[in-house]
Amino acid sequence: MGIILENVNFFILLIADLLIYQHVMGKRIAKYHFLTFPLVLRLLFLVLPPVAYFATFLFLPIYSVVRNWGQLNKSMALFYGLFPVIIEDLFSRYYQFFLFPFLGIEETHFTILIFSICGRILGVLTYFALVKLLRIDFQSYHIGLNPQRVKLPLVVIDIAMIIYFVILQVFLLGDKRYPIFVTYRGYLVTLYVVSILVLLSYTNANLNDKLKMELLEQKDNQLKSLEQYSQQIEDLYQEVRSFRHNYVNVLTSLKVGIDKKDIGAIEEVYRKVLGESGRSIQDSKFDFTRLSLIKDTAIKSILSAKIIDAESKNIDISIEVTSRIDNFPIKTLDLVVILSVLLDNAIEASLFAKQPQIIIAILEENNQVLIVIENSTLDEQVSITNLY
């Protein structure tokens, strides 16, 4: 019976770690991993018990770093791997140290295993309950815990979790020789439980405030872009009215030439007036009317702002939107950031070209939206090897 409970306890431990990791990362883990990981590590105990013991605690951090290689910073990937292991261990040990002893049940090998299993289950339930109670959004952690923003705190948190693991192993290995280590272990768990709860609450509130500020800033920028867009449309309207007024005068001039059957006068009017008007109506600023086919105001705003910016720097810019586009298959904020970066790069690169030019094309094909941005450069061909 004891062997069965030990195996159940072991499997629950690893499944709990994987469940928390899956929740924190916001990415699903293949279902078979919930069986293969515990099974492989359990079999490793039969061959190399010491290695298997430490592998039980280190497999998830290693798995996190390897899985997110090239996608997340190493310190960030390590945080996501260490956090589930530490949080599960803290909550389960807290129940074993402080709650179960109050029940007055005699401690035997059997009852200790039962307490351990119950502690792990309650630990996982406590984690999810606290996350819901404190309204912790780990999606905001993915953005806010960017090492470029909080590099030092992130490294400190990783080191603190590693220190907990090391000190805990010292207390576990030496508690038979030094019984006081059991008490110290309880103090360590209490300290880290309180610290983790404070850290989660503070970090979550801080990150949410940062994201709200960024969102407000983005909305302000969007409003400014819309104002610029509206002003540009108003200028276009005034120019079209002026063109219509001049067009009447041109027709009058042509009528005089036609009445006199003066071909030379008609050619002169066409060459001096209509030819110039044709070039004017083809000016890139009339491309603004094509933005009306884009229904997302945020995307329309960033495009209009960048077009105005390019024109102010004497860059020949044109935009082509082939059909009405109601939705983009990507989050608006992400697309705004991507377009902003790409268009800024295009404007910067085209300034060095002999003929500064940018072409933007937005096409919808087979329920997919294609965005193409081309720009002239100083060099005829640009090496992309440094991008990879």
Side-chain angles (χ1 to χ4, degrees):
M1 188 65 179
I3 296 177
I4 295 176
L5 289 177
E6 287 179 1
N7 287 315
V8 170
N9 182 49
F10 183 80
F11 271 74
I12 291 177
L13 162 64
L14 296 183
I15 290 173
D17 289 346
L18 290 171
L19 285 174
I20 296 174
Y21 176 78
Q22 180 176 258
H23 178 261
V24 171
M25 284 297 300
K27 297 179 181 179
R28 286 195 171 277
I29 298 176
K31 293 181 179 179
Y32 65 88
H33 283 164
F34 287 92
L35 177 62
T36 55
F37 281 143
L39 188 60
V40 170
L41 289 171
R42 200 56 180 166
L43 292 175
L44 186 61
F45 267 99
L46 300 177
V47 184
L48 296 169
V51 175
Y53 176 79
F54 288 100
T56 301
F57 297 97
L58 299 177
F59 91 95
L60 195 54
I62 295 173
Y63 171 77
S64 179
V65 172
V66 172
R67 183 183 183 184
N68 297 289
W69 192 272
Q71 300 179 22
L72 295 176
N73 184 278
K74 293 182 182 62
S75 58
M76 197 176 211
L78 183 61
F79 168 82
Y80 288 130
L82 285 171
F83 179 79
V85 176
I86 301 301
I87 202 73
E88 186 280 331
D89 188 83
L90 283 173
F91 286 154
S92 63
R93 288 186 185 278
Y94 189 82
Y95 281 113
Q96 294 175 52
F97 275 124
F98 302 103
L99 179 61
F100 296 147
F102 284 106
L103 300 177
I105 300 175
E106 182 182 358
E107 290 190 7
T108 63
H109 180 65
F110 177 80
T111 56
I112 289 175
L113 286 174
I114 294 295
F115 285 166
S116 180
I117 292 172
C118 293
R120 298 195 188 286
I121 295 174
L122 288 174
V124 175
L125 295 177
T126 301
Y127 163 77
F128 284 105
L130 285 174
V131 167
K132 187 173 183 179
L133 179 65
L134 299 176
R135 297 180 180 179
I136 296 173
D137 181 12
F138 282 101
Q139 295 303 313
S140 63
Y141 275 53
H142 296 328
I143 301 173
L145 281 181
N146 190 312
Q148 294 178 352
R149 302 184 185 187
V150 286
K151 184 175 182 179
L152 182 59
L154 189 60
V155 173
V156 170
I157 293 172
D158 287 343
I159 294 174
M161 289 191 290
I162 294 173
I163 290 175
Y164 167 81
F165 174 75
V166 173
I167 295 177
L168 180 65
Q169 301 312 309
V170 172
F171 288 161
L172 287 172
L173 295 174
D175 59 0
K176 291 183 179 180
R177 185 172 182 180
Y178 303 100
I180 192 65
F181 278 6
V182 176
T183 304
Y184 291 162
R185 212 162 66 221
Y187 293 154
L188 178 68
V189 169
T190 303
L191 174 64
Y192 268 82
V193 165
V194 173
S195 300
I196 286 290
L197 292 178
V198 172
L199 175 67
L200 287 176
S201 301
Y202 171 78
T203 307
N204 186 66
N206 190 34
L207 292 179
N208 284 334
D209 289 341
K210 284 184 178 180
L211 292 177
K212 287 179 182 177
M213 291 298 295
E214 289 184 3
L215 185 59
L216 289 175
E217 184 179 353
Q218 186 63 44
K219 287 183 177 179
D220 289 340
N221 293 335
Q222 180 182 340
L223 182 60
K224 291 178 182 178
S225 298
L226 280 174
E227 291 175 354
Q228 292 178 326
Y229 176 69
S230 299
Q231 183 62 45
Q232 192 78 1
I233 293 297
E234 185 178 343
D235 293 342
L236 288 175
Y237 175 71
Q238 294 297 331
E239 189 162 340
V240 169
R241 287 189 61 188
S242 175
F243 176 79
R244 185 179 62 179
H245 176 73
N246 293 336
Y247 192 69
V248 174
N249 295 332
V250 169
L251 290 178
T252 303
S253 301
L254 284 175
K255 184 178 183 302
V256 173
I258 293 172
D259 290 342
K260 294 182 177 181
K261 297 182 180 181
D262 188 348
I263 300 300
I266 295 174
E267 290 179 349
E268 183 177 358
V269 170
Y270 177 82
R271 184 174 60 255
K272 291 184 177 180
V273 181
L274 289 181
E276 184 63 33
S277 298
R279 287 191 294 271
S280 175
I281 203 67
Q282 291 174 2
D283 193 273
S284 63
K285 57 190 173 184
F286 285 90
D287 289 341
F288 268 91
T289 57
R290 295 168 186 166
L291 290 178
S292 62
L293 293 172
I294 300 174
K295 300 309 172 184
D296 192 313
T297 56
I299 305 303
K300 187 188 300 183
S301 300
I302 192 64
L303 287 172
S304 63
K306 296 305 177 183
I307 291 174
I308 294 171
D309 184 28
E311 288 183 341
S312 68
K313 297 176 181 177
N314 298 319
I315 298 175
D316 182 16
I317 184 168
S318 63
I319 181 168
E320 180 71 25
V321 183
T322 58
S323 61
R324 175 189 173 106
I325 299 177
D326 295 315
N327 298 298
F328 290 88
I330 184 176
K331 290 183 180 178
T332 299
L333 184 58
D334 293 339
L335 184 54
V336 166
V337 173
I338 292 171
L339 285 175
S340 179
V341 171
L342 291 178
L343 289 171
D344 284 342
N345 291 343
I347 292 172
E348 183 180 352
S350 61
L351 287 174
F352 297 98
K354 294 180 180 179
Q355 295 181 341
Q357 184 182 37
I358 296 176
I359 300 174
I360 305 170
I362 302 178
L363 320 169
E364 187 170 17
E365 296 180 356
N366 300 324
N367 296 324
Q368 291 184 334
V369 179
L370 305 179
I371 301 178
V372 180
I373 300 176
E374 296 182 0
N375 63 273
S376 56
T377 59
L378 178 63
D379 301 322
E380 293 185 2
Q381 186 173 1
V382 179
S383 174
I384 61 173
T385 55
N386 292 330
L387 296 178
Y388 303 97

